[in-house]
Amino acid sequence: MKSKENIPEEIPGMSRKVPFSVPDNYFDEFPLRMQERLSESQTIPISRTYPARRVLAMAAMFIGLVTVGYFGLRMILNGQDTTMLSGDEVSAAIEYFGHEFDDDMLIAAIVESDIDLYPQDIDDETDVIIEFLSDEEIDFNEILNNY
Amino acid sequence: MADQHDKELIKLFRENRNEAFNLIVRKYQERLYWHIRKMVVSHDDADDVLQNTFIKAYQGLDKFREDASLFTWLYRIATNESLTFLKKERNRYLQPMGEYQQQLERTLVSEPHFDGDELQLKLQKAIIRLPEKQRLVFNMKYFDEMKYDDMSAVLGTSVGALKASYHHAMKKIEQYLTQD
């Protein structure tokens, strides 16, 4: 039996019924769809952002060094015109270095990269950056304005 | 505390993963779905989040410690997945919270699988305007009639804080409903 404090007071005239419905047979079919999805995920190891994590981690190790040492690298190259870092390289570096990435480096890397900041079609690499900023509670617009 | 049937399912999972997991999905899909749906509003999004919830559960069930109930554990994953989804959606379009709430409200109004009356629509609009954590607490308490102790186990928040949160949510909702 529920104790009194565990029964929430009802809003007058307001049903506790959830006013949503599902398509016909949704719950009958869901377990099968789930099984299919699990079989796929067993044959192809999934990662939220990268399918080939190990390969990318290796690439990121190199790319990350380039990114983290971004300004230094430019100096070493004595003002030669450097190739723009691609969004993939930047996002791989973020993925690899995680918390070691400081804000200045991040902003520099994003601004100097070819990432579309307001893309029509969001792709995985943009997702990674957005997720990173979000996890770090960094306001994307604010840091760009300050940069 | 874990119920006996869940213990058997977990034991079976160690012997026959797919069969056991199918039983777990069948047992908990509806409760988890409605928990997620109340947060993300759209059926299609709820379907995606529910699938992700079960994928995470499948991947983590080997490490599941039976000192919590299976349902509490699943509920916690579903909660985290729902919040992550909302956060990601908000950040995808770089929207401040207020604008994202308006977007959720538009989703609610255009949702084909909404079968409530006008009052229920108004209640849902009021709920959408709450901060996400308060929305969670309100839904779990008002619709699911969950005990505060159980909510505390899922959300990792003290019972006192949950009561305060529910109280504030209720006040805001009443205020919204009595406007006009």
Side-chain angles (χ1 to χ4, degrees), chain B:
Chain B
M1 193 188 288
D3 77 23
Q4 196 54 39
H5 185 236
D6 284 347
K7 281 185 178 176
E8 284 164 15
L9 285 174
I10 293 161
K11 191 171 168 233
L12 180 63
F13 183 78
R14 282 159 193 156
E15 294 155 9
N16 185 340
R17 296 171 74 89
N18 289 344
E19 186 193 336
F21 200 73
N22 190 33
L23 293 171
I24 291 171
V25 170
R26 286 180 189 280
K27 183 173 181 183
Y28 289 117
Q29 59 173 349
E30 286 202 42
R31 278 193 275 175
L32 294 177
Y33 172 85
W34 290 116
H35 175 57
I36 294 165
R37 178 76 185 274
K38 287 191 292 264
M39 286 305 289
V40 303
V41 178
S42 132
H43 164 74
D44 291 340
D45 292 338
D47 181 52
D48 285 343
V49 176
L50 183 64
Q51 287 186 47
N52 289 342
T53 297
F54 278 122
I55 296 250
K56 288 272 166 67
Y58 185 85
Q59 291 168 341
L61 201 53
D62 279 327
K63 294 171 196 153
F64 173 66
R65 292 165 60 87
E66 292 175 45
D67 45 4
S69 85
L70 180 60
F71 181 60
T72 301
W73 183 70
L74 290 170
Y75 218 97
R76 197 180 301 148
I77 298 173
T79 301
N80 290 339
E81 285 297 309
S82 302
L83 292 176
T84 302
F85 171 84
L86 292 172
K87 194 174 179 182
K88 206 169 172 180
E89 283 296 296
R90 201 167 59 241
N91 290 331
R92 183 180 286 269
Y93 302 104
L94 307 169
Q95 287 175 325
M97 180 63 89
E99 281 178 32
Y100 185 63
Q101 286 169 340
Q102 285 173 15
Q103 186 181 310
L104 266 184
E105 203 172 304
R106 287 194 291 272
T107 305
L108 173 69
V109 172
S110 61
E111 172 60 38
H113 299 290
F114 180 87
D115 57 5
D117 56 25
E118 253 185 61
L119 258 179
Q120 286 170 315
L121 180 65
K122 199 168 180 185
L123 173 61
Q124 288 300 319
K125 284 183 179 176
I127 295 169
I128 282 173
R129 285 166 186 245
L130 297 173
E132 277 162 9
K133 293 274 166 62
Q134 250 179 50
R135 198 143 70 87
L136 258 179
V137 172
F138 182 83
N139 285 336
M140 290 163 90
K141 193 75 210 157
Y142 192 79
F143 291 108
D144 302 346
E145 298 186 36
M146 213 167 170
K147 290 178 183 172
Y148 281 115
D149 285 338
D150 294 340
M151 288 166 70
S152 176
V154 171
L155 299 176
T157 307
S158 71
V159 168
L162 290 171
K163 285 181 181 174
S165 190
Y166 182 72
H167 177 77
H168 284 301
M170 189 59 114
K171 289 284 160 214
K172 284 183 201 168
I173 286 172
E174 281 172 351
Q175 198 178 9
Y176 180 83
L177 292 176
T178 51
Q179 277 173 0
D180 303 333

Side-chain angles (χ1 to χ4, degrees), chain A:
Chain A
M1 194 174 166
K2 287 174 180 168
S3 66
K4 196 182 169 192
E5 69 156 13
N6 278 318
I7 302 173
E9 53 182 297
E10 194 157 351
I11 300 169
M14 203 64 73
S15 163
R16 286 182 199 278
K17 183 183 169 290
V18 180
F20 297 118
S21 59
V22 293
D24 290 344
N25 304 321
Y26 174 72
F27 290 117
D28 295 333
E29 291 163 4
F30 183 82
L32 183 62
R33 287 202 297 125
M34 200 61 232
Q35 270 189 328
E36 287 167 359
R37 174 102 193 257
L38 283 170
S39 324
E40 286 167 20
S41 68
Q42 279 165 355
T43 46
I44 306 163
I46 58 157
S47 153
R48 283 181 67 178
T49 49
Y50 289 109
R53 199 180 187 92
R54 288 183 66 187
V55 176
L56 278 161
M58 292 292 285
M61 191 185 300
F62 171 74
I63 294 156
L65 285 170
V66 176
T67 310
V68 172
Y70 195 67
F71 294 117
L73 186 66
R74 288 203 158 196
M75 287 171 69
I76 292 163
L77 292 171
N78 289 325
Q80 285 175 30
D81 189 21
T82 51
T83 307
M84 241 180 204
L85 290 174
S86 72
D88 185 47
E89 289 165 333
V90 174
S91 57
I94 290 170
E95 176 87 344
Y96 183 76
F97 280 93
H99 294 283
E100 290 174 29
F101 229 84
D102 70 41
D103 288 1
D104 286 341
M105 269 312 153
L106 182 68
I107 296 159
I110 290 173
V111 171
E112 295 287 341
S113 76
D114 63 357
I115 295 168
D116 183 0
L117 298 178
Y118 299 97
Q120 295 300 311
D121 296 308
I122 306 281
D123 53 19
D124 277 351
E125 62 203 43
T126 312
D127 271 349
V128 174
I129 291 167
I130 289 171
E131 198 172 347
F132 173 82
L133 293 172
S134 164
D135 288 346
E136 293 301 304
E137 296 185 345
I138 296 169
D139 186 321
F140 198 52
N141 288 315
E142 193 181 317
I143 58 172
L144 287 175
N145 289 338
N146 291 337
Y147 178 69

